[in-house]
Amino acid sequence: MDPLQTSIEYLKGVGPNRADLLKKELKIFTFQDLLYFFPNRYIDRSRFYKISELPKNNSEVQLKGEITNIEIISQKSGKRLVAIFSDGENTMELLWFRGYKWINQSLKKNVPYILFGRINWFKGKPSIPHPEMDLESDFIKKPSQILKPIYPSTEALLSRGISQKVIFNLLINLFQGLKTNLAESLPEHLIKKYNFISKHQAIRNIHFPKNQKSLSMAQERLKFEEFFFIQLQLILKNNRRKKKIKGFKFKKVGDGFNSFFKNNLSFELTNAQKKEIKEIRKDLGSGGQMNRLLQGDVGSGKTIVALMSMLIAFDNGYQSCLMAPTEILAQQHFQSLKNFLINLNISVDILTGNSKKSHRNSINEDLKKGKLNILIGTHSIIEEKVTFLNLGLAIIDEQHRFGVAQRAKLWKKNLTPPHILVMTATPIPRTLAMTLYGDLDISVIDELPPGRKEIKTYHQFDSNRLKVYKFIKEEIKSGAQIYIVYPLIQESEKMDYKDLMDGYESISRYFPQPEFQISVVHGKMKSPDKEYEMNRFLKGETNIMVATTVIEVGVNITNASVMIIESSERFGLSQLHQLRGRVGRGNKQSYCVLMSNNKLNEDAKKRLKTMTETNDGFKIAETDLSIRGPGNIMGTEQSGILKLKIADIVNDNLKLKIARNEAIEIVKKDPNLMLNENKIIRKTLFAMKAYKNMWNYIS
Ligand code: ADP
Ligand code: MG
């Protein structure tokens, strides 16, 4: 057996109790897991402070000196151990509130210590609670700790004495016990090309960096390696899928498509739309199953692309469906597709949670008989009862609202899986998409239909509300319609509802009937009522739409040109961008006003500033990613792929691209990794599969 697969329990310094903790808290089961347990940061310990020069903040510092006195002090609040530490010139207190009995026994007076900890200032005096103490004589024997690694930890570990020092010592023991160097995991040709250090050196340096340079070299190599193996797996998986999974072959483009294009399409397609339709046509005709992610900023015209793809399915005798995340959006798709398809003899229907039973039944009948060509709907479409005669293409709109599981359900609607097109307006930065949806082909509509004006975006504090109302009045007078949106965040639904209602009242006062008409739509309303209100607004019967975020996705009302977002500091960036995308759809100059209170934290400031500075969804997504980190981007939580050990999708973007290109080239040249030069890659992939805790294994 590979000695690195030895249970962690048997490492010198561990034993059964600590092993349990390491397994439970850190998922460290074997020696190898510990080797791949990387520090998440390093602290520069090249400097020793004098007490008199300690910085006046709570930073972590290192001092050299001796303990001159130790005392246990009992107070009402509990006992604590206080040691007086002297650097030869001045003294300060070291404090322990936990584990002080044991500390009391082990601390030695009047011998040189190296001390490390976080300063605490109280009434102008520094102290350090729970410092890490090393006898100077021990300290100099250990591997250099100029860059001190800091490992992820948990409360449970700390309270049971597994400190940074303990982990560090375990790693020392592990390395000392190694009989041979760690096996290489990258092929010679890559190591040479990029001048990488060996695997053994890299892992060693990541735990015990001698200096900044050796640390950087270790990081370079390990980050590359992590990205490389993720990308390699995704590419191999995608290739396998393309080969194995046969799809319906849509050979021709026929009457449906052609007469729509000739007679019904009232505008010129943008080049990006044309390119996309071409690409999809190629996929659909290839004989393999299409699995494509179509990204396009709000308003870029994805719906037409979806429709024309469905027409290709129709022309080849297949049914298609389009699934949207909300009732309103499904309704809107239904209306606009019906309009687009007028006089074409193609049947379209809609199925949602609110469809009447009789309607459901007739839909099901028509689907089975093949009488219904296109079905629009919400989640209701994926219910098992809904069966098609021959579903050839399934489209998911606003993909980020759906989980992976739902995509999988659509797959199963047929024996031969239908072609799948997922569309999203939440632009996922390409690099993230590559990691996240590596099993999908990705394409982007990177162009808006002509004539769209940049939406002018302003940030206003609540104290300026009257000014904003005045502006609204002027816009209404010039014929515009206005959205006023309130946040709806699940945990405080009640409060949000109250906000909305209070807001509605003050708006009604300022914009009185009959001169002004106002619609309200919120989550607590019944669907028919919502629809009624939406329709009044759509028809231009009302000037203002007061709404919660239910209108966030997809809604398309071209005459609405002003978007007021209340409590905008509570929205995430991509949500703000989505909301803003509801305006700017017609030819009128559009505006978005972000209302907020005066107290904003740094992140909120950055979000609002970004919004006022750019309309570019991809730029916004990149900023969002950098503020929140990839784990929080909608839809990424389930993927699990993103729990990277060392690389960072945002900061190591370039490395990701390089690693991906290498993976592509290697697979192109050697699709099954059979060449001798790639033997090590094969071996590493095999090891990754066998030992889950190495790099991410994608099953
Ligand atoms: P999204 O990509 O956000 O789903 P839509 O498909 O709803 O965007 O399109 C937004 C609006 O732009 C719709 O009214 C649509 O009819 C219109 N549109 C789409 N493509 C074009 C085009 N090439 N030229 C002009 N208008 C277009
Ligand atoms: Mg849309």
Side-chain angles (χ1 to χ4, degrees):
M1 197 185 81
D2 178 355
L4 288 182
Q5 299 310 321
T6 312
S7 170
I8 195 68
E9 190 180 334
Y10 301 111
L11 179 63
K12 185 175 149 209
V14 180
N17 289 340
R18 278 183 169 176
D20 281 348
L21 265 177
L22 290 173
K23 287 176 194 170
K24 193 156 154 253
E25 296 293 316
L26 300 175
K27 305 266 175 297
I28 295 175
F29 296 90
T30 63
F31 285 23
Q32 173 165 290
D33 295 344
L34 182 61
L35 284 178
Y36 277 79
F37 179 62
F38 298 150
N40 51 11
R41 63 195 174 95
Y42 299 82
I43 295 173
D44 185 356
R45 286 187 72 166
S46 55
R47 171 152 193 199
F48 288 92
Y49 282 87
K50 285 284 180 187
I51 293 172
S52 59
E53 352 164 280
L54 288 176
K56 294 275 184 287
N57 54 32
N58 296 344
S59 51
E60 288 170 303
V61 291
Q62 177 174 252
L63 299 104
K64 207 185 295 188
E66 298 178 2
I67 287 173
T68 55
N69 186 41
I70 304 173
E71 205 176 346
I72 291 183
I73 297 180
S74 300
Q75 276 182 329
K76 251 191 259 151
S77 51
K79 282 188 188 174
R80 66 196 151 113
L81 179 74
V82 181
I84 304 299
F85 180 80
S86 161
D87 66 3
E89 292 166 13
N90 294 288
T91 62
M92 69 187 286
E93 289 187 348
L94 310 178
L95 307 169
W96 283 267
F97 306 97
R98 286 181 257 118
Y100 50 82
K101 272 191 204 137
W102 184 77
I103 303 274
N104 192 15
Q105 286 163 17
S106 60
L107 278 185
K108 296 194 173 95
K109 275 195 258 183
N110 303 320
V111 284
Y113 271 106
I114 305 291
L115 170 166
F116 179 78
R118 196 177 286 285
I119 326 164
N120 191 24
W121 290 93
F122 186 68
K123 295 196 172 152
K125 280 191 179 164
S127 64
I128 295 186
H130 292 269
E132 265 180 35
M133 311 283 297
D134 277 301
L135 287 172
E136 190 179 11
S137 52
D138 289 342
F139 187 83
I140 49 181
K141 272 187 253 155
K142 285 191 202 170
S144 142
Q145 280 208 70
I146 286 179
L147 285 166
K148 180 184 163 57
I150 304 290
Y151 293 89
S153 188
T154 67
E155 215 20 70
L157 288 174
L158 287 179
S159 68
R160 299 198 34 200
I162 302 197
S163 62
Q164 294 290 334
K165 199 165 118 187
V166 169
I167 301 224
F168 188 75
N169 286 336
L170 292 182
L171 277 155
I172 292 177
N173 295 346
L174 204 170
F175 269 94
Q176 276 172 353
L178 286 181
K179 299 248 163 12
T180 57
N181 279 0
L182 301 172
E184 188 46 68
S185 48
L186 285 176
E188 181 82 20
H189 58 97
L190 285 180
I191 292 179
K192 271 214 178 110
K193 180 167 177 186
Y194 293 101
N195 240 330
F196 286 141
I197 53 176
S198 73
K199 177 65 166 248
H200 186 82
Q201 276 176 310
I203 296 276
R204 202 186 157 82
N205 289 358
I206 212 72
H207 294 294
F208 312 118
K210 280 203 194 69
N211 49 39
Q212 190 56 50
K213 179 149 184 265
S214 74
L215 175 60
S216 305
M217 283 169 79
Q219 287 168 330
E220 281 287 315
R221 154 153 192 163
L222 294 173
K223 285 175 178 181
F224 174 90
E225 185 171 338
E226 181 165 42
F227 281 142
F228 174 76
F229 281 108
I230 288 176
Q231 293 303 322
L232 189 70
Q233 292 178 84
L234 290 172
I235 291 162
L236 290 172
K237 195 177 160 197
N238 204 1
N239 283 357
R240 252 192 329 260
R241 174 174 61 74
K242 276 187 185 152
K243 248 194 246 138
K244 223 170 43 190
I245 299 173
K246 277 224 179 103
F248 298 118
K249 194 163 181 171
F250 295 172
K251 291 202 186 94
K252 62 175 183 198
V253 165
D255 284 350
F257 187 95
N258 287 329
S259 36
F260 168 78
F261 192 72
K262 244 199 281 160
N263 307 324
N264 291 31
L265 186 59
S266 57
F267 44 73
E268 173 90 12
L269 293 175
T270 64
N271 285 331
Q273 284 169 322
K274 284 183 200 160
K275 181 189 82 193
E276 202 40 48
I277 291 166
K278 229 189 224 161
E279 201 152 14
I280 290 172
R281 247 178 80 177
K282 207 169 111 200
D283 284 357
L284 297 178
S286 74
Q289 186 227 14
M290 174 174 82
N291 241 324
R292 185 168 283 279
L293 171 70
L294 173 59
Q295 297 193 64
D297 210 344
V298 279
S300 60
K302 295 184 292 293
T303 315
I304 283 290
V305 175
L307 172 61
M308 294 179 78
S309 313
M310 294 197 282
L311 290 175
I312 299 177
F314 172 81
D315 284 341
N316 287 273
Y318 288 92
Q319 294 168 302
S320 43
C321 67
L322 168 59
M323 183 162 81
T326 62
E327 166 100 25
I328 289 178
L329 191 55
Q331 287 290 354
Q332 193 155 35
H333 275 316
F334 180 55
Q335 295 305 335
S336 70
L337 290 201
K338 256 199 328 203
N339 288 339
F340 274 129
L341 293 176
I342 213 153
N343 296 331
L344 281 184
N345 206 12
I346 297 172
S347 56
V348 196
D349 211 334
I350 180 167
L351 179 70
T352 72
N354 290 303
S355 301
K356 296 233 167 60
K357 193 143 186 244
S358 56
H359 187 203
R360 268 167 196 271
N361 290 340
S362 76
I363 286 181
N364 278 336
E365 283 299 297
D366 290 352
L367 278 179
K368 267 182 249 168
K369 283 192 202 132
K371 259 168 68 187
L372 184 56
N373 305 122
I374 294 176
L375 180 64
I376 315 286
T378 55
H379 296 82
S380 304
I381 292 186
I382 49 179
E383 281 169 21
E384 257 164 54
K385 285 172 284 184
V386 183
T387 48
F388 294 77
L389 176 69
N390 57 2
L391 180 65
L393 169 65
I395 300 178
I396 306 176
D397 194 18
E398 306 300 348
Q399 140 81 13
H400 62 279
R401 293 297 191 94
F402 293 105
V404 177
Q406 283 153 326
R407 182 157 41 115
K409 274 193 182 166
L410 276 173
W411 267 67
K412 292 187 184 127
K413 284 274 167 199
N414 257 0
L415 224 49
T416 306
H419 296 293
I420 305 257
L421 177 66
V422 294
M423 309 196 292
T424 179
T426 305
I428 304 160
R430 204 178 163 78
T431 45
L432 181 55
M434 274 171 0
T435 317
L436 200 57
Y437 298 115
D439 60 332
L440 300 179
D441 293 313
I442 299 166
S443 46
V444 183
I445 299 190
D446 51 4
E447 184 186 0
L448 293 181
R452 295 273 169 79
K453 291 204 183 81
E454 188 95 331
I455 301 163
K456 289 192 176 152
T457 304
Y458 303 97
H459 172 211
Q460 288 288 353
F461 290 115
D462 291 337
S463 44
N464 281 334
R465 182 171 303 280
L466 282 185
K467 205 169 123 194
V468 175
Y469 280 177
K470 216 174 124 210
F471 167 72
I472 295 177
K473 225 169 226 178
E474 280 159 21
E475 284 296 305
I476 292 177
K477 287 214 175 98
S478 77
Q481 284 176 288
I482 320 287
Y483 288 111
I484 302 181
V485 175
Y486 288 80
L488 183 80
I489 298 166
Q490 228 100 56
E491 305 99 69
S492 59
E493 208 176 334
K494 268 207 193 108
M495 199 183 93
D496 293 323
Y497 180 67
K498 189 173 172 299
D499 283 355
L500 174 89
M501 280 325 194
D502 290 351
Y504 174 64
E505 258 170 44
S506 77
I507 294 162
S508 315
R509 244 177 285 132
Y510 199 88
F511 299 95
Q513 288 193 358
E515 195 186 351
F516 300 96
Q517 298 292 333
I518 304 173
S519 291
V520 192
V521 172
H522 58 76
K524 295 205 160 161
M525 286 162 71
K526 293 234 161 65
S527 265
D529 298 337
K530 269 193 231 170
E531 230 168 88
Y532 173 78
E533 289 290 326
M534 279 303 285
N535 274 332
R536 287 212 305 152
F537 190 65
L538 185 65
K539 286 189 215 144
E541 292 170 9
T542 54
N543 313 101
I544 299 176
M545 158 70 74
V546 179
T548 50
T549 46
V550 289
I551 60 161
E552 181 187 340
V553 278
V555 174
N556 187 25
I557 296 172
T558 45
N559 193 46
S561 59
V562 179
M563 166 69 63
I564 313 287
I565 304 179
E566 295 287 346
S567 305
S568 60
E569 74 274 19
R570 288 169 60 188
F571 290 91
L573 251 183
S574 66
Q575 220 184 352
L576 288 172
H577 180 62
Q578 286 272 320
L579 279 170
R580 179 171 62 181
R582 298 310 105 213
V583 298
R585 303 194 147 225
N587 295 325
K588 223 169 154 348
Q589 174 60 55
S590 293
Y591 300 92
C592 173
V593 183
L594 307 166
M595 305 296 298
S596 82
N597 65 28
N598 290 51
K599 277 185 240 136
L600 294 176
N601 65 31
E602 284 311 307
D603 281 355
K605 269 186 211 154
K606 198 164 168 193
R607 287 197 297 270
L608 300 184
K609 186 157 173 276
T610 305
M611 286 295 292
T612 58
E613 282 173 357
T614 182
N615 272 274
D616 181 336
F618 280 84
K619 256 193 212 139
I620 288 172
E622 296 281 359
T623 310
D624 199 23
L625 189 63
S626 75
I627 295 178
R628 300 196 299 163
N632 297 316
I633 301 286
M634 268 194 277
T636 62
E637 305 87 354
Q638 328 99 308
S639 84
I641 297 174
L642 290 166
K643 287 192 201 93
L644 299 180
K645 278 185 191 296
I646 186 163
D648 177 309
I649 291 191
V650 180
N651 297 319
D652 302 320
N653 212 294
L654 189 65
K655 286 193 185 70
L656 170 55
K657 283 177 195 159
I658 294 172
R660 179 173 171 84
N661 284 339
E662 284 299 345
I664 289 174
E665 287 307 313
I666 287 174
V667 174
K668 210 189 265 170
K669 187 171 159 201
D670 183 13
N672 297 314
L673 303 176
M674 295 314 282
L675 292 180
N676 211 22
E677 65 179 44
N678 294 326
K679 199 166 139 197
I680 284 187
I681 300 181
R682 216 162 57 234
K683 232 170 103 185
T684 309
L685 284 173
F686 190 75
M688 285 164 59
K689 184 174 179 177
Y691 314 124
K692 286 275 154 58
N693 254 343
M694 215 174 144
W695 302 119
N696 281 290
Y697 177 71
I698 299 165
S699 49

